[in-house]
Amino acid sequence: MPRPDLTLTPAGPALAPRYRPAATLARPARPANPYLRLFSHPGARAFTAGNLIARLPMGMFGVSAVIMIAAAYGSYALAGAVTAANLAVGSVTGPLIARLVDRYGQARIAVPAAAYAVLGHLVLLLCVHERAPVWALFLTTAVTATTPNTGGMSRARWAHLLRDDPDALHTANAFEQAADELCFMLGPVLAAVLCSALFPEAGTLTAGLLFLSGVLVFAAQRSTEPPVAPRTTAGSPLRAPGMASLLAVFLATGAVFGSMEVVALAYVDGPVAGPVLALQAAGSCAAGLLYGRARRTARLRTCLAAMTVLMAMPLLAASTGSLLALAGGLLVAGMATAPTMVTGMGLIQRLAPAAQLNEGMALAVTALLAGVAAGSAGGGWAADHAPFASFGFLLPVTAAAVALTLCTATGAGRGSRVRA
C-alpha cells in the first residue's frame, strides 16, 4: 500500500493534495464528423439557421412571380420577361449591395436592404392583383433587386471564423453549396404548392415573410459577424490578379446550369419535369456533402474536366428515349456541380481582398447568373430548333468544355490548390 504524501502546514503535517498531470486531464472529445465539428463553434448553429430560413425563398420568388403574373395576365412570356428584368437589375445591384456590406457590416446593410426588397415584392403583388399596366410590373420588379446575397454573407462568416483552419473552411464551403442546392430544389416546389393549393399570391407572401424573418435572425448573431475591414483604395476586386479569368470561368459554368434546366424541361414537357430536374440538384447536394469530408480540394481544372464528362450523361440517356434513364443521367451529372462550385468559391475567397470579400463573391454570383441567362436563352433556341429530340443536351456539354478551355488557357486557379 503506497504511503500518503505529507506536507507541512502552519497547523502541522497534513496530507498533500494530489493532482493529475495536465496530460491526463479529461478533455472533451472533438466529434469525428467534420460537420459536427463545424457546428461546435459558438454561434454557428444560430447564424446558419437564420441564413437557411432566408435562403429558401431565393428559390421561391421567381417561380411565385411567374405563376402569379401568368394567372393574372394570361401570359407566360410576360411573366418570364418580368423575372428576367429582375435578374438583369440584380446583376448590377448585387455587387453594389455587397460593397456596402463590406464597408459598413452585414447587420447594418442586410436588414434595410432585405426590408426594401420585400416591400418591392409586396408592391409587385398589389400591382398584379389590381392588373396594373405592364410597365408598372417592370418598374416594381427593379425595386426588389436590393436583395442581399445571404449565401455570400454566410460564407464570409465561415471565412472569418475558420481563417486559421483551412480543412474546416473547405467543409463549411461544401456545406454552403449543399444548402444552396437544397434550397433551390425545395423552394420552387414549395412555391408551386402554395400558389396552386391556396391562391396565386400565396408563394410571394410566404417567401417575403420567410426571407425577412431569416435575415433578422441572421443579422442578430453579432458575435459571428466579420468585423468591418478598414477602407481600401484598391478599387474593384476585379483588379485582383486572376479574378477576371476566374469570373470568365464562372460565366461559362453558369451557361451549363441555365441550358441544362431549359433543355431538360423542354425534353420532359410534363408534370414530372420538375421532379426529374430536381434530381440534378439532389446529386449535387449529395456530392457536396461528401466533398466536404475530403481532406483536400481538387484543382478547378480537374473539377471542370469531370463536369464536362458527366454532363454528357444526360445526352446519352436522352438518346435512348427513356425518361428513367434521363433521370439517372441528371442525377449523375449533378454530382459534378457542387465540387466545382466549392472549389471556385474557395478560390474567390483567396483572391478577393479581405476588405472586399462580400463584393468578390457577389461578382462571382453575378457572373454565374449572367451565364445562366445566356444558357437559358440558348437552351430555349435549341428546344425550338432541335433536329432531333436530344439535341439540346449538347449545349451543357459544350458550355462545360468552354469553361474547361478558359480555365486551362487563362490559368484560372493555377497554383491555388490548397487545403481549403
Side-chain angles (χ1 to χ4, degrees), residues 122-152:
L122 294 179
V123 174
L124 176 63
L125 184 151
L126 292 176
C127 288
V128 173
H129 187 267
E130 297 299 325
R131 308 294 197 279
V134 170
W135 61 263
L137 305 185
F138 287 96
L139 180 63
T140 305
T141 195
V143 178
T144 67
T146 62
T147 303
N149 181 8
T150 52

Side-chain angles (χ1 to χ4, degrees), residues 184-265:
F184 279 97
M185 181 171 59
L186 297 180
V189 175
L190 178 59
V193 169
L194 289 171
C195 293
S196 58
L198 299 178
F199 48 92
E201 297 85 0
T204 298
L205 286 173
T206 304
L209 178 62
L210 287 174
F211 179 62
L212 188 56
S213 301
V215 170
L216 288 173
V217 172
F218 176 78
Q221 313 309 314
R222 303 302 291 270
S223 63
T224 55
E225 182 177 352
V228 177
R231 292 193 180 187
T232 177
T233 57
S236 172
L238 278 170
R239 298 183 181 181
M243 180 67 77
S245 58
L246 185 56
L247 292 180
V249 174
F250 270 78
L251 180 68
T253 305
V256 176
F257 307 146
S259 58
M260 180 64 82
E261 179 177 2
V262 173
V263 299
L265 290 173

